[in-house]
Amino acid sequence: MNYLFICYSNCTTCKKAKNWLGKYNISYDERNIKENNPTEEEIRLWYKNSSLPLKKFFNTSGMLYRSHKLSDKLPSMSEDDQIKLLASDGMLLKRPLLIKDKTVLIGFKEEKWNILK
């Protein structure tokens, strides 16, 4: 089974991650986050498998995050409501995401992705 690489084609960080995957011959299936938004069930599973705080799944530098003033709203939202919100629009999710089994990498930090080499 290949990794699932969830990205947005106009994102420079996603492009860097894609180049890195190619450089190390890591097989993946690409999914455009804007055209094929992750479901609540997927986000729940990834969140559970990641051992990361749910806030790490949010694209905090995105226009949608800022326009909805989510930095003020998230602390008072339930986990369930946050997941529903993330599933409502792919542009709220931090990208890229690289997923396979229990491996969930969010954003591209080469030092973290080096575990795949």
Side-chain angles (χ1 to χ4, degrees), residues 37-40 43 82-90 92-93:
N37 193 48
T39 65
E40 284 182 47
I43 294 168
Q82 289 181 46
I83 290 171
K84 286 178 184 178
L85 182 61
L86 284 168
S88 72
D89 192 319
L92 284 171
L93 279 158

Side-chain angles (χ1 to χ4, degrees), residues 47-76:
Y47 168 53
K48 179 184 163 213
N49 288 341
S50 73
S51 301
L52 293 169
L54 189 53
K55 184 175 174 155
K56 293 284 186 186
F57 283 80
F58 282 89
N59 178 12
T60 57
S61 60
M63 292 185 331
L64 203 54
Y65 184 90
R66 291 192 308 262
S67 70
H68 284 52
K69 298 183 178 13
L70 292 178
S71 61
D72 298 330
K73 296 177 183 176
L74 284 183
S76 62

